[in-house]
Amino acid sequence: MKKDVYVVVGNYTHGREVKSVALRNLVDYLEQLGEVNIFELPTANSKDSGEINDNIVVHRYASPERSMANIEQRIPEIVRDLVHLG
């Protein structure tokens, strides 16, 4: 059976450290329906990482040179990863 996959773009933190109540509520709802992939856009102090917790996968991307000036360089990679989910 094929699993439903949902994509959300926004800043997210697992657990109760909520950055956005609306985002947390959306993810909680979607998690009941299938796998939720959250794509965080680069921030100045971010690094490339992934986090998996049950049906939630968080994709984090580093900003080039730890600067916000060139984050658009990462957009093709983020789009590639989104498309890869199918």
Side-chain angles (χ1 to χ4, degrees), residues 10-13 17-27:
N11 290 329
Y12 180 83
T13 302
E17 186 183 330
V18 179
K19 292 183 179 181
S20 165
V21 174
L23 180 61
R24 180 66 202 192
N25 289 340
L26 174 63
V27 170

Side-chain angles (χ1 to χ4, degrees), residues 58-73:
V58 181
H59 308 263
R60 292 187 177 95
Y61 297 85
S63 60
E65 299 94 35
R66 296 204 174 283
S67 165
M68 294 302 290
N70 298 315
I71 63 169
E72 69 277 356
Q73 292 175 1

Side-chain angles (χ1 to χ4, degrees), residues 40-83:
E40 289 193 350
L41 297 176
T43 59
N45 294 317
S46 60
K47 61 181 180 178
D48 284 350
S49 67
E51 184 178 342
I52 300 173
N53 186 357
D54 297 325
N55 282 339
I56 300 174
V57 181
V58 181
H59 308 263
R60 292 187 177 95
Y61 297 85
S63 60
E65 299 94 35
R66 296 204 174 283
S67 165
M68 294 302 290
N70 298 315
I71 63 169
E72 69 277 356
Q73 292 175 1
R74 299 302 307 268
I75 300 301
E77 294 172 67
I78 295 169
V79 171
R80 177 203 64 211
D81 294 345
L82 283 163
V83 170

Side-chain angles (χ1 to χ4, degrees), residues 23-46:
L23 180 61
R24 180 66 202 192
N25 289 340
L26 174 63
V27 170
D28 286 347
Y29 176 76
L30 291 175
E31 184 182 19
Q32 296 172 29
L33 304 175
E35 179 181 293
V36 183
N37 283 266
I38 302 164
F39 286 80
E40 289 193 350
L41 297 176
T43 59
N45 294 317
S46 60

